[in-house]
Amino acid sequence: MKAMILAAGRGERMRPLTDHTPKPLLPVAGMPLIAWQIHKLVRAGISEIVINVSHLGAMIETALGDGAQYGARLAYSHEGEALGTAGGIAYALPLLSGEPFLVVNADVFSEFDYARLVATAASPSHAGILAHLVLVDNPAHHPAGDFCLSQQLIAAEGGPRLTFSGIGLYHPALFAAIDRGAKFPLAALLRGPIAEGKVSGEHYPGRWFDVGTPERLAALERQLSQ
């Protein structure tokens, strides 16, 4: 299985830290955010990783190189302007295999075991599923949540809402209708498949951080330093 790390965002909420440093390279506990993701993926047996870049993307490539220092093989998808989550994934498809692949935001930190998604992709029950989303308890900054989870299927309504973690497993067919280079948000792309029962999910109750602001970055630093 291959993986993709989403690293093309501007990081507006993280300014001024991101004025001169791309958010994925901001350090926490002595290591860039994106390096934590690479290490976790490699530990899960996923060494072929695509990273999309836009804002200050050359700095990310210089810092990470070809990935050999992490035991990974990195490829880069260059977006002149950030294309949104679904648009960025669609643009990177030529670098990904025709099989389901894992996608994670560069600016989340969690103890979720990515090997779980490798097993999910190989499970017969995953046949016909276009996406599998990892959901977490709603954080204080997003109390309304994003999706409901009903018998391992994602639903727009019908139960308590949970927050999308930024970690997911996707089939390339999900992105087939997006023109390469077009901007497209993931939530809009998922509406149809969710209604058709083609999006599954799971609830992860463990430690998870959306490192979206300087305050949350500092809070994570404090936790990891304890």
Side-chain angles (χ1 to χ4, degrees):
M1 177 185 289
K2 291 187 177 183
M4 181 174 180
I5 301 176
L6 300 176
R10 174 65 176 79
E12 290 289 347
R13 294 175 300 164
M14 193 66 85
R15 296 183 69 184
L17 299 180
T18 51
D19 286 342
H20 305 290
T21 302
K23 183 162 61 169
L25 292 185
L26 293 176
V28 61
M31 190 161 61
L33 281 168
I34 195 169
W36 285 94
Q37 297 290 8
I38 296 171
H39 279 297
K40 281 173 54 65
L41 288 166
V42 171
R43 284 199 300 271
I46 304 171
S47 59
E48 294 187 62
I49 303 168
V50 175
I51 301 172
N52 69 333
V53 293
S54 180
H55 173 65
L56 302 178
M59 293 180 66
I60 296 176
E61 290 190 64
T62 298
L64 303 180
D66 63 3
Q69 60 183 313
Y70 305 105
R73 293 186 296 277
L74 303 183
Y76 296 91
S77 178
H78 301 93
E79 301 174 17
E81 184 177 359
L83 300 174
T85 299
I89 295 171
Y91 191 76
L93 283 182
L95 298 173
L96 297 161
S97 65
E99 302 297 323
F101 51 87
L102 189 157
V103 178
V104 60
N105 293 352
D107 58 354
V108 299
F109 178 94
S110 80
E111 295 173 349
F112 179 81
D113 184 0
Y114 295 145
R116 289 180 56 88
L117 296 184
V118 177
T120 296
S123 171
S125 64
H126 191 69
I129 295 295
L130 294 178
H132 180 86
L133 309 182
V134 178
L135 306 181
V136 296
D137 295 332
N138 299 329
H141 64 271
H142 190 58
D146 299 306
F147 303 108
C148 303
L149 186 59
S150 176
Q151 296 183 0
Q152 298 184 317
L153 288 178
I154 298 291
E157 56 186 26
R161 296 175 71 83
L162 297 167
T163 291
F164 175 45
S165 68
I167 303 167
L169 177 67
Y170 303 97
H171 194 288
L174 177 65
F175 306 93
I178 300 178
D179 292 331
R180 192 162 186 261
K183 292 184 178 181
F184 215 96
L186 182 62
L189 182 66
L190 289 173
R191 288 192 192 108
I194 286 174
E196 296 168 0
K198 294 182 178 180
V199 180
S200 60
E202 63 183 277
H203 175 220
Y204 170 65
R207 182 157 65 172
W208 172 87
F209 271 84
D210 171 8
V211 193
T213 65
E215 293 76 18
R216 281 183 242 152
L217 180 66
L220 176 58
E221 179 75 36
R222 287 192 297 271
Q223 281 210 16
L224 295 180
S225 299
Q226 292 175 357

